[in-house]
Amino acid sequence: MTRLGLLALATALPGMALAESHMAEGAGGALSYGERPFFLIEAMQDGPLKDKLMSCQGQSPERTAFSIAHRGAPMMIPEHTRQSYVAGARQGAGIVECDVTFTADHELVCRHAQNDLATTTDIVVSDLGAKCTSPFTPAGEGTEAAAECRTSDITLAEFRELNPKMDAADKTATTAEEFQGGTAAWRTDLYVDGTQLMTHAESIALIDSLGADFTPELKAASVEMPHDGFSQEDYAQKLIDEYKAAGIDPSRVWAQSFNLDDIKYWIENEPEFGAQAVYLDDRYEAEDDDEGLIDPMDPSSFKPTMAELAEMGVNYIAPPMWMLVTTDEAGEIVASPYAEEAKAAGLKIIAWSLERSGPLAAGGGWYFQSVSDVIDDDGDTYAMVDALAQDVGVEGIFSDWPATVTYYANCMGL
């Protein structure tokens, strides 16, 4: 942060110390909260939580595993890039996420989805666009512009030719160049130029050098598995093997998957890594006639139950934030029946993802849907964080701008 920025904050928050109180040296460079935590605190309603957070404004940032960098710091920097990971770590995230998928030659790379290259890179305006599963088609009368480009459409060498961009697309585009636009107004394209894509192995080396730990997510394949002889088990094993090859202690790795079979595979075949494997719970997406559908407010709908998951050897469960909270009669954000059942079964809980909703004046959107009636503005960000930490008792929170969570964790001694 610039000295001018610090002086501006000091004016807005009386008594705030200067730069040395908001930066601390850590592996990979100086840790810094930047301005956002203080902007959010300033927007809060007066009360004990605001008073507590304001009382910590002179603290020095410290790295904390409670703060998890969701794809790096993609609120402002293209996700799953070297620069985004560095930014997340410099904001004090103790754990950094690489979503893992594979190329045509079965090399592991960091992408949120196997088929997201059209919206996260410049592939549609490059020579590689012709290799896409569905090359760019312009918007027409009653149709939107579209493209589907998979990492499995190209080799690792070709993947390295691509340039990252903010995850977005202009669905009204009539040219591939126009399709590259569409960045949300509350994000920015200011930090796109010069960003670099990462392989999974490269992310391990980088995150290790930054002094942070790892939470790779094994992404569902867009292609039918096995893919040219590469099975789902091969895929799950290769993810673990790259940590072994890098000499990373299993206690530093929280491997994730939405596929419960992947979690079971790690528990059975790589028990040291399986002990910290994280089951990403997306059973809220099941169809109404699917037995897997669950209602976070109705424990009788949980199939398998939390106790059954624990019996399988699952120790960590990670649903979206809204599943973990509800409101009480006083309008306070409190733990949901889902959260209470998970805790009763001895499961450790991780929440996702903060700072992904944009301005909260309209209720916070999808991530805040269970508490939207009490979400009024950005100051409510910390009301959600506090409820997740204190009422739910989560182990950590994913965030698209980790400094927000880091500040809270440091202030509360988490």
Side-chain angles (χ1 to χ4, degrees), residues 9 33 41 62 140 154 207 218 230 233 264 306 316 318 330 379:
L9 283 175
Y33 292 131
I41 295 167
E62 294 183 7
I154 58 177
I207 294 166
L218 194 72
F230 189 59
E233 292 77 15
K264 291 178 180 178
M306 300 299 183
Y316 286 84

Side-chain angles (χ1 to χ4, degrees), residues 267-280:
I267 290 170
E268 180 177 350
N269 295 281
E270 292 289 350
E272 288 187 291
F273 289 90
Q276 290 192 164
V278 181
Y279 173 40
L280 297 166

Side-chain angles (χ1 to χ4, degrees), residues 8 40 95 123 155 190 207 221 304 313 357 360 368 376:
L40 297 175
I95 303 173
I123 190 169
T155 65
L190 187 61
I207 294 166
S357 302
L360 302 187
F368 290 80
D376 299 315

